[in-house]
Amino acid sequence: MGTVFLVIRFALALTFAAAGVLALVTGRIAFSWLRRSVHRPGIWGAGALLLGTAIGLQPVLPFEVQIPLMLVGLLLIGLSQLWWRRRVSETD
């Protein structure tokens, strides 16, 4: 049963990390259902990359390091959906 959880954990970590790198490099969100709700793809990508790193390195990271990494990643993902893009005014 432990091997199943190991495979699931690394698949989840790889998915988050790859989506985070894609969002950081291209500015696009890999998951189509999130494209409308994410207003800052760079911040979302950084959060997803942190979250994927924390999940993937869970066996070797101490608890005091892994949990703050996951929380910061989740915070960045949440903030990327709340912060609106600045609108450029036409009078400038």
Side-chain angles (χ1 to χ4, degrees), residues 68-89:
L69 275 178
M70 289 182 77
L71 290 176
V72 169
L74 288 172
L75 179 70
L76 287 175
I77 288 173
L79 286 176
S80 73
Q81 295 181 350
L82 295 176
W83 282 345
W84 293 91
R85 289 186 181 171
R86 291 186 187 176
R87 292 190 179 145
V88 178
S89 63

Side-chain angles (χ1 to χ4, degrees), residues 1 14-15 29 34 41 58-59 61:
M1 196 67 171
L14 186 63
T15 302
I29 303 298
L34 285 176
Q58 186 263 335
L61 285 179

